[in-house]
């Protein structure tokens, strides 16, 4: 008696799932005649029809339901076998649960995870985005392994007692301006007094979600727009409708039509970015923390270099 091939099992499963030979063909990347041949081969092995062809597709016979169920179970078993063999050859995958506040999630964290994978390709990640106090609570309750949090003036202070912390790059603030803005041509830093009469594009969000407003030490800034996402803020800046505060950690993903300038402000005390883990962390958690601590690639000024 001939045996069902793996290809025939995949085809039967796809036809059963989609109720159509043509849709199964598109899903598997086969031609429709090839799908028909595989179905015919499977029916020959079964000794009876598996599908009834109709104008609107196919329906399964009782034998077809039995073979489709067998195909699903068998192919799932083969997938598990592939995974186990891969683990024997390369070691098991290791899952790390990582969280960050929104602006860190936009650039600092993705680049760090890419570096971590270069060191340990078997890592997999579950990502969370939340405010810093929420992230710290999730580390304490063992729902996160590594969190990236912010600390400093104007921010809700997370309770870090009993946790391990490591300082990260990107805690400084810059100002994003359109490329044609006069501030973009300034060499070196911009005195804070030059920002007094500018229109600002600021963030908005829930009370426990710190959003970047105008420059922190300005007393009565002119707010032109409030918007929730960085994409919107950058779009408004690029259109020449205002300027916005941009944390260093976002610099790698700032659009090219926005220049980043530093501000000379002796009254600004700065903020800190920290990686937070529990004291019972394992080596894979430390791989992520080390990757986070590597310097960011920062673009500055009108030409993307100094300024």
């Amino acid at each position: 008696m001939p045996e069902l091939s793996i290809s025939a099992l995949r085809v039967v499963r796809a036809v059963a799932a989609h109720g159509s030979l043509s849709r199964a063909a598109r899903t598997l990347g086969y031609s429709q005649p090839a799908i028909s041949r595989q179905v015919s081969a499977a029916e020959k092995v079964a000794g009876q029809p598996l599908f009834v062809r109709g104008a609107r597709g196919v329906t399964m016979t009782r034998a077809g339901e039995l073979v489709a169920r067998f195909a699903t179970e068998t192919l799932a078993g083969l997938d598990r076998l592939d995974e186990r063999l891969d683990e024997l050859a390369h070691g098991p995958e290791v899952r790390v649960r990582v969280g960050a506040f929104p602006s860190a999630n936009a650039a600092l964290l993705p680049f760090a995870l890419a570096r971590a994978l270069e060191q340990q390709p078997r890592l997999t990640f579950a990502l969370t985005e939340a405010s810093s106090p929420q992230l710290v609570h999730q580390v304490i309750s063992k729902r996160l392994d590594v969190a990236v949090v912010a600390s400093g003036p104007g921010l809700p202070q997370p309770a870090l007692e009993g946790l391990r912390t490591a300082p990260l790059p990107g805690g400084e603030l810059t100002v994003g301006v359109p490329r044609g803005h006069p501030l973009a041509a300034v060499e070196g830093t911009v005195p804070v007094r030059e920002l007094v009469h500018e229109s600002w594009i600021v963030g908005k969000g829930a009370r426990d979600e710190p959003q970047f407003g105008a420059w922190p030490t300005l007393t009565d800034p002119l707010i032109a727009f409030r918007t929730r996402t960085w994409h919107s803020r950058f779009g408004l800046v690029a259109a020449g409708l205002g300027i916005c505060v941009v944390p260093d950690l976002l610099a790698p993903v700032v659009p090219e039509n926005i220049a980043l300038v530093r501000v000379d402000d002796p009254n600004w005390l700065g903020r800190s970015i920290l990686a937070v883990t529990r004291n019972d962390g394992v080596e894979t958690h430390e791989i992520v923390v080390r990757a986070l601590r590597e310097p960011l690639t920062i673009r500055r000024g009108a030409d993307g270099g100094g300024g």
Side-chain angles (χ1 to χ4, degrees), residues 9 22 33 58 68 101 103 107 137 139 166 190 203 211 231 237 240 247 252 258 275 279 302:
L9 290 176
S22 59
V58 299
F101 56 92
S103 53
H137 177 71
V139 172
V190 173
Q211 296 292 326
H231 290 302
V237 171
I258 293 176
N279 287 311

Side-chain angles (χ1 to χ4, degrees), residues 210-234:
Q211 296 292 326
F212 288 94
W215 187 259
T217 63
L218 296 182
T219 56
D220 191 22
L222 174 61
I223 306 301
F225 294 93
R226 297 181 185 273
T227 181
R228 183 175 294 275
T229 68
W230 283 106
H231 290 302
S232 298
R233 265 169 272 182
F234 290 152

Side-chain angles (χ1 to χ4, degrees), residues 46-282:
Q48 53 192 302
L50 303 180
F51 301 98
V52 177
R53 280 74 166 172
R56 297 186 177 181
V58 299
T59 57
M60 286 186 291
T61 65
R62 292 185 64 184
E65 292 175 352
L66 179 63
V67 174
R69 186 162 58 248
F70 173 81
T72 299
E73 295 170 353
T74 301
L75 293 171
L78 288 173
D79 289 341
R80 288 194 295 272
L81 175 60
D82 283 342
E83 293 172 2
R84 298 300 180 268
L85 290 172
D86 190 50
E87 288 179 4
L88 282 176
H90 304 103
E93 290 186 344
V94 180
R95 188 176 181 84
V96 182
R97 300 163 299 173
V98 187
F101 56 92
S103 53
N105 241 1
L108 175 64
L109 187 59
F111 284 96
L113 298 186
R115 289 191 292 266
L117 284 171
E118 291 175 357
Q119 300 177 48
Q120 175 51 271
R122 304 299 295 175
L123 289 177
T124 62
F125 302 103
L127 303 183
T128 297
E129 184 173 290
S131 66
S132 293
Q134 290 173 338
L135 293 168
V136 170
H137 177 71
Q138 291 184 49
V139 172
I140 294 171
S141 62
K142 298 187 176 182
R143 286 181 288 161
L144 282 179
D145 302 310
V146 181
V148 178
V149 305
S151 177
L155 299 177
Q157 296 307 299
L160 301 174
E161 294 80 5
L163 297 173
R164 296 179 62 186
T165 62
L168 303 180
E172 298 297 324
L173 297 182
T174 63
V175 173
V177 303
R179 285 285 172 183
H181 194 286
L183 293 179
V186 175
E187 295 185 4
T189 58
V190 173
V192 68
R193 63 179 179 274
E194 297 293 329
L195 305 178
V196 171
H197 299 296
E198 294 290 339
S199 297
W200 291 89
I201 297 159
V202 302
K204 66 177 180 179
R207 185 176 298 274
D208 66 343
E209 297 175 352
Q211 296 292 326
F212 288 94
W215 187 259
T217 63
L218 296 182
T219 56
D220 191 22
L222 174 61
I223 306 301
F225 294 93
R226 297 181 185 273
T227 181
R228 183 175 294 275
T229 68
W230 283 106
H231 290 302
S232 298
R233 265 169 272 182
F234 290 152
L236 292 165
V237 171
L241 297 175
I243 66 177
C244 73
V245 172
V246 180
D248 258 0
L249 54 82
L250 267 183
V253 295
V254 171
E256 292 291 338
N257 52 6
I258 293 176
L260 299 180
V261 295
R262 284 205 177 278
V263 178
D264 180 11
D265 184 358
N267 294 319
W268 171 234
L269 300 178
R271 290 174 175 170
S272 300
I273 310 298
L274 304 171
V276 178
T277 57
R278 294 183 303 279
N279 287 311
D280 60 356
V282 297

Side-chain angles (χ1 to χ4, degrees), residues 2-5 8 35-46 50:
E3 297 179 349
L4 280 168
S5 68
I35 292 288
S36 296
R37 287 195 295 271
Q38 291 286 0
V39 169
S40 296
E43 290 178 328
K44 184 177 181 181
V45 173
L50 303 180

